Amino acid sequence: MTAFSGIRVLDLSRVLAGPFCGQMLADFGADVIKVEDVGGDENRKWAPVIDGQSANFLSVNRGKRGMTLNLKSGAGQEILAGLVRKADVVIDSFLPAVAERLGVDDARLRALRPDLVHATISGYGHEGPLAGKPGYDLMLQAFSGMMAMTGERDGGPVRAGASFIDMATGLLAFSGIASALYARQAGKAGGQHIRVSLMETAIALLGYHVPAYTLGGKVPPRDGSGVWHIVPYQAFGTENGHVLAGATNDAAWQRLCAAIGATELAADPALATTTLRIENRDKVISALSAIFATRSTAAWVDALETANVPCAPVNDLAQTLAHPQVAAMKMVLEVATRGGDSLSLVGVPLNLSTTPAVPGGAPPLLGEHTDAILKDDLDLDASRIAALRKEGVI
């Protein structure tokens, strides 16, 4: 038994955030129908395209049934209405004006299904001067201040390597949908409109940086792999790579110095406290950099872990995915394809003891299940389906 068994979801969203939300619902048992324009989700075309399929699309669409539908047509609107009436959840990522034009605004959807849980994902939120502005992950990394605090001190702003604002927004939408379904089931509410945005997610992810500024006036600087308020806590070059090492308190500083043989640093009263090490940051980092350059990453990780010092090797993606801890937590899944092969996809980052995730099959090909959905879910016959295809509705 899965958590969302019996729940039907229409995923009208595109790119990453909404589709990731839909994939999480599918992983936990929901019947998710991915509805795309006849031309397909733009995410299908983003590089790298491997064997005709985009890694971007494959990463967030497993376990779904897929269909195409031209929402700009009258017949397409009729089909959508039929699907909405049978749905528990609708996910969309349209701008407000577009949603109203396509008939997928909350008022229209709720008229079709009053107890619908409707999740809308936007770039900048549903109110304010930027409510109608589209947004992508990188745009919000820039807008939110994250890029300004990311990069080397003497360099320019840098993008985070992963599209984490998109993915986190998808997880927030997932939690909002789960909360709304619970409230509906418990009789605390009927349908609800859930609204999340990349901007709100990004601001929330700033975390402690917000009160550090609002209460202390501190605008976070770029500090490379480190952080301005803990010294040392960053990556250091080794003989063959980099190691992340940190002293998050004064006791850890003494353990770090002992582990690397830095007796003079440990005894230096000018470096004895967190505040003093921040004030003497350049001295600390210079001294530690010279020491860490003398041994391999693995040797330093062994020494630091033995001394109970926070540390980690700075892995590349290949090293990370090959690590036995990643395998133990099943964070790389082998998903069967239609041809009997398999795809290695990202696992499920949420563990439930009684109703665990049961990841579904490979992401749908464009329009793969259109005919079956129209026939089985809406009782359309073959001649009507053929006519719809001829008219460009599907």
Side-chain angles (χ1 to χ4, degrees), residues 51 119 159 184 209 286 368:
D51 295 330
R159 170 192 180 271
R184 190 179 78 175
H209 289 294
S286 177
E368 179 177 352

Side-chain angles (χ1 to χ4, degrees), residues 135-146:
Y136 289 89
D137 184 283
L138 186 53
M139 294 166 61
L140 271 301
Q141 288 193 36
F143 179 89
S144 66
M146 289 186 181

